Amino acid sequence: MNKKRPLSHDVDLQGRRVTIYDADDIENMRSAGRKAATVLDEITPLVQAGVSTKKLNDLIDGFMRDLGGVPATLGYKGYPASSCISVNHVVNHGIPSETKILAESDIVNIDVTILDNGWHGDSSRMFLCGDKVPQKGRKLVDTTYDAMMAGIAAVAPGRPINVIGKAIESVAKPNRASIVESFVGHGVGLIFHDSPAVFNYYCERDTLTLEEGMIFTVEPMLNAGRKDVKILNDGWTAVTRDRSLSAQFEHSIVVTAKGCEILTLSPMGYTKPPYPV
Ligand code: MF3
Ligand code: CO
Ligand code: CO
């Protein structure tokens, strides 16, 4: 008689279904996460002034296929590309384009999601396109990285999920960056965007208890100016309303017995820019 509960199962917390993944699932997510991080590592030396975001996208598409995966974003809800490339005041979901040529002073987010044997590895990093990025931009990128890592460091089983947003706020606020509220982190696994939602700001009532085996992203977007965003007519590109700079980093993580494990760490050791390439 086997009374052992299945290792991979759903828990219902405050009316929300959240999947608890078993050891085999987590191993699959380590593979997907490592591949997403590898794609970001591989594109790093090519993110330079003069290149089009379409060229970078096509290289990313090739890197994913070489790793035996496919771009999860291509055709997702009609999204037309293999990556999201968001430059300067673009908050997220920038659609790669032949005519968008990177300049020396640009800050750029590249967000990749690889579908690896059914599992999604989702990660994004910021890049500085040259030596001419103004201090304001470099500081925002730094703050955003620190905010993401503070959010991740707050994760542990038994804690409420809103410790993540609280930690992100604790870094953003003293650095006078605003937090975009209209996008959240998300459960990730066999489903690209799953529950739970992971808020990037402190939401008092959002007290879902973190449990070992939950997998989700932490992906704060911080702006140098106001938090307000709008979506362009292409239906995807989100920009800051005041055209101020925006930055984002994203890791996929799994909750462990003691805290969490980052599934999308860079094999090359690239954390925040400038990257030593
Ligand atoms: N990778 C993004 C995320 O972090 C989602 C992109 S969906 C797309 O959740 F359709 F815009 F590509
Ligand atoms: Co994501
Ligand atoms: Co992403």
Side-chain angles (χ1 to χ4, degrees):
M1 198 170 63
N2 183 9
K3 284 221 177 119
K4 183 163 97 40
R5 69 179 186 186
L7 285 170
S8 176
H9 65 283
D10 292 345
V11 289
D12 194 284
L13 297 152
Q14 302 171 338
R16 282 162 294 189
R17 179 198 55 78
V18 179
T19 298
I20 305 297
Y21 293 92
D22 70 21
D24 289 342
D25 300 333
I26 293 165
E27 199 48 45
N28 284 321
M29 281 299 287
R30 286 195 185 101
S31 169
R34 193 181 313 112
K35 288 181 184 185
T38 299
V39 169
L40 290 172
D41 283 359
E42 288 176 333
I43 203 64
T44 300
L46 303 157
V47 185
Q48 286 182 9
V51 74
S52 75
T53 56
K54 175 72 162 64
K55 172 78 182 166
L56 294 176
N57 176 78
D58 293 352
L59 289 165
I60 286 166
D61 183 282
F63 297 155
M64 287 184 180
R65 294 177 199 279
D66 289 347
L67 290 165
V70 291
T73 56
L74 188 59
Y76 175 79
K77 295 185 177 174
Y79 186 77
S82 304
S83 61
C84 298
I85 306 187
S86 304
V87 183
N88 294 335
H89 69 294
V90 178
V91 173
N92 66 4
H93 303 167
I95 301 172
S97 144
E98 297 273 13
T99 57
K100 184 62 196 172
I101 310 292
L102 297 181
E104 293 256 27
S105 57
D106 288 343
I107 63 167
V108 182
N109 175 275
I110 300 183
D111 190 338
V112 299
T113 309
I114 190 168
L115 184 54
D116 174 38
N117 190 28
W119 297 86
H120 294 79
D122 189 7
S123 185
S124 85
R125 294 181 203 151
M126 293 301 295
F127 299 82
L128 311 176
C129 292
D131 301 330
K132 293 187 183 145
V133 175
Q135 174 59 23
K136 199 187 174 97
R138 279 182 279 133
K139 177 168 184 207
L140 179 68
V141 168
D142 243 56
T143 299
T144 307
Y145 178 80
D146 293 346
M148 173 188 67
M149 292 308 283
I152 291 171
V155 171
R159 292 190 187 157
I161 196 167
N162 64 8
V163 295
I164 299 170
K166 189 190 275 185
I168 291 167
E169 262 190 32
S170 77
V171 174
K173 281 208 169 140
N175 287 289
R176 289 198 295 282
S178 65
I179 300 171
V180 173
E181 295 178 354
S182 42
F183 297 96
V184 293
H186 51 92
V188 64
L190 289 169
I191 297 171
F192 187 173
H193 291 115
D194 205 353
S195 51
V198 183
F199 290 91
N200 294 311
Y201 57 93
Y202 180 58
C203 185
E204 194 181 345
R205 293 173 312 166
D206 190 24
T207 57
L208 176 133
T209 304
L210 296 172
E211 280 190 41
E212 184 177 357
M214 288 180 177
I215 302 181
F216 50 83
T217 70
V218 177
E219 48 176 308
M221 282 139 278
L222 270 54
N223 299 344
R226 297 185 62 85
K227 68 184 178 189
D228 310 77
V229 309
K230 66 175 180 187
I231 309 292
L232 299 185
N233 288 331
D234 61 22
W236 284 104
T237 313
V239 299
T240 55
R241 277 192 177 273
D242 63 6
R243 295 187 67 86
S244 64
L245 292 176
S246 188
Q248 179 177 31
F249 283 86
E250 175 179 26
H251 273 312
S252 298
I253 69 171
V254 55
V255 182
T256 59
K258 291 258 173 71
C260 73
E261 173 185 334
I262 301 175
L263 300 166
T264 46
L265 279 179
S266 162
M268 287 293 290
Y270 298 155
T271 53
K272 64 180 168 181
Y275 303 112
V277 292

